[in-house]
Amino acid sequence: MVQASAEISADNTEASASPEAPADNSEVSVSPEISTKVVSLLGRRVISVIRDGEKLGPWPVAIGDPRTPTPTSVFKVENKVTNPQYQSTKSGRLNPAIGVASPFGDRWIGFLQSGQSKFGIHGTPWPYWVNAKGAVTNGCVRMKHAHVRQLFDVVEV
């Protein structure tokens, strides 16, 4: 890994075949494996997607501050949520905002749950920190709304 990078990957295999063999012995087609990797270079504060050899991005991100760093390793996408609701890990309180005004924005791509802590890639109502490529989060990767929506649309759980 380069410059304390984190690589979050989701490998998907899609197959389309009928459950029963054709009576006429014709060929059954199977679609090729689709490989998608999300690569975050934490030192450069950017994230990209490599899907079937094509690169999308890079997009600027904000990452975890030194006290709550973004985890580094290879992860699988665990879940995707549209309009997630933020819940404080300290107080347990739910933030009533949902959508682009929410601390998570309108997209969440979860890649690690460790105890009560959940780490993901999400939007933010504070694009300043993304523009500044700040290290200000509680370990998550924040993106601008338009960018995280593009990422959300191309990754699978």
Side-chain angles (χ1 to χ4, degrees), residues 6 8 37-42 44-50 55-63 109 111 120-122 133 141-144 147-148 151:
I8 304 145
K37 291 187 179 187
V38 178
V39 180
S40 180
L41 300 175
L42 300 179
R44 292 181 47 204
R45 311 285 203 279
V46 295
I47 196 167
S48 302
V49 176
I50 302 169
K55 184 176 179 181
L56 301 172
W59 299 291
V61 297
I63 63 168
I109 303 166
F111 63 85
I121 303 165
H122 60 82
K133 296 185 175 184
V141 177
R142 288 186 194 167
M143 298 179 73
K144 293 180 180 181
H147 297 161
V148 76
L151 179 61

Side-chain angles (χ1 to χ4, degrees), residues 71-157:
T72 59
S73 190
V74 176
F75 305 96
K76 291 191 181 284
V77 172
E78 294 180 357
N79 57 28
K80 292 178 15 176
V81 180
T82 301
N83 293 320
Q85 189 169 23
Y86 176 81
Q87 182 174 15
S88 171
T89 56
K90 292 179 183 176
S91 69
R93 292 186 190 164
L94 287 174
N95 185 311
I98 295 177
V100 294
S102 161
F104 287 155
D106 62 1
R107 298 292 188 276
W108 168 269
I109 303 166
F111 63 85
L112 175 65
Q113 183 167 342
S114 177
Q116 288 185 331
S117 297
K118 295 177 183 174
F119 299 94
I121 303 165
H122 60 82
T124 181
W126 307 289
Y128 168 80
W129 294 113
V130 175
N131 291 337
K133 296 185 175 184
V136 295
T137 75
N138 286 325
C140 288
V141 177
R142 288 186 194 167
M143 298 179 73
K144 293 180 180 181
H145 294 301
H147 297 161
V148 76
R149 289 176 191 140
Q150 290 176 312
L151 179 61
F152 190 92
D153 289 345
V154 298
V155 299
E156 297 295 330
V157 175

